[in-house]
Amino acid sequence: AQSVTQLGSHVSVSEGALVLLRCNYSSSVPPYLFWYVQYPNQGLQLLLKYTTGATLVKGINGFEAEFKKSETSFHLTKPSAHMSDAAEYFCAVSPRAGGFKTIFGAGTRLFVKA
Amino acid sequence: DTEVTQTPKHLVMGMTNKKSLKCEQHMGHRAMYWYKQKAKKPPELMFVYSYEKLSINESVPSRFSPECPNSSLLNLHLHALQPEDSALYLCASSLGALAGLYNEQFFGPGTRLTVL
């Protein structure tokens, strides 16, 4: 069965500092991988996804993530944090064999200090 | 149009009330989803409709009744809810779930439900 682990329920960075949010998955076959962001009292918005091809994926708002098969990881990074990045971030996977179920990680709350 | 809309934004209801949540998308997506999200938790899947047929029911209590009148609309009918049902209810849609489709889901803004 697939699972997703996000290391750290809370991450705090200073404005302008590097953002690193960690995600590891467990699956016998590498799944499709997603990062979603959720601002307070809003729905989830897709930041980026890895489906096939280049393992470094660029998303919206300056975020990027790298798929590392050997480490079963899909960590999210941004070189310079902005106050507006403060939100909840969810890593998610869906199986390549098809199916409706997307497995979400527990989420990481990002705090950005001025 | 790449938007999923949900109405109402907020809903307060008593335990004996009947109410409905509505979700709409015009992206031509054939799969639509209801999720329940409690504070500080990830979304939990409740129901999935594929081509207007109920495909997944994650053992949701019968006080929640989904309906998919057409490929663009999804409703969630609520009756005799409990206070613990208070949560953010999210609707989502995707192209489908065939192998090779990566099931990217587009989420609506949610309905904040409070049951008194």
Side-chain angles (χ1 to χ4, degrees):
Chain A
Q2 294 183 329
S3 65
V4 180
T5 302
Q6 291 184 239
L7 291 173
S9 58
H10 297 85
V11 169
S12 182
V13 300
S14 297
E15 194 172 21
L18 172 71
V19 175
L20 171 59
L21 304 183
R22 298 178 188 274
C23 173
N24 288 87
Y25 67 90
S26 172
S27 175
S28 54
V29 175
Y32 298 122
L33 297 154
F34 307 87
W35 275 100
Y36 287 90
V37 61
Q38 185 176 31
Y39 299 100
N41 296 313
Q42 293 189 27
L44 278 68
Q45 180 183 10
L46 183 70
L47 273 178
L48 48 79
K49 61 182 180 280
Y50 173 74
T51 58
T52 189
T55 56
L56 182 63
V57 179
K58 294 189 185 301
I60 61 171
N61 302 340
F63 284 93
E64 60 183 39
E66 187 171 11
F67 167 60
K68 292 187 176 181
K69 183 178 177 181
S70 61
E71 298 177 9
T72 61
S73 68
F74 191 55
H75 302 330
L76 182 71
T77 59
K78 181 174 180 177
S80 177
H82 192 271
M83 297 296 285
S84 60
D85 295 326
E88 188 84 25
Y89 291 80
F90 293 100
C91 182
V93 302
S94 70
R96 288 187 182 268
F100 294 110
K101 292 193 181 182
T102 293
I103 309 299
F104 288 90
T108 297
R109 185 66 182 267
L110 177 65
F111 296 91
V112 182
K113 300 174 289 186
Chain B
D1 186 359
T2 58
E3 198 176 296
V4 176
T5 59
Q6 289 188 245
T7 54
K9 283 184 69 69
H10 302 274
L11 179 62
V12 179
M13 59 187 290
M15 290 191 284
T16 58
N17 292 158
K18 282 186 181 181
K19 297 286 185 183
S20 296
L21 310 184
K22 180 180 172 181
C23 173
E24 195 164 359
Q25 58 87 15
H26 295 286
M27 294 179 277
H29 289 173
R30 303 317 299 262
M32 295 186 77
Y33 309 71
W34 280 116
Y35 287 89
K36 173 183 178 181
Q37 187 181 27
K38 299 287 259 184
K40 303 186 194 304
K41 297 289 186 185
E44 297 173 39
L45 184 64
M46 299 174 72
F47 303 103
V48 182
Y49 274 82
S50 176
Y51 289 86
E52 298 145 56
K53 289 187 173 11
L54 185 63
S55 185
I56 294 178
N57 176 344
E58 291 286 272
S59 303
V60 179
S62 60
R63 57 186 184 268
F64 295 91
S65 174
E67 178 196 20
C68 190
N70 60 56
S71 60
S72 300
L73 277 176
L74 186 66
N75 298 321
L76 186 63
H77 303 297
L78 314 172
H79 174 54
L81 294 192
Q82 304 296 310
E84 58 265 27
D85 296 321
S86 299
L88 182 68
Y89 287 83
L90 294 166
C91 174
S93 69
S94 70
L95 274 173
L98 298 174
L101 286 180
Y102 42 81
N103 202 26
E104 175 183 343
Q105 293 182 33
F106 291 76
F107 285 82
T111 294
R112 175 70 62 188
L113 174 67
T114 303
V115 182
L116 302 175

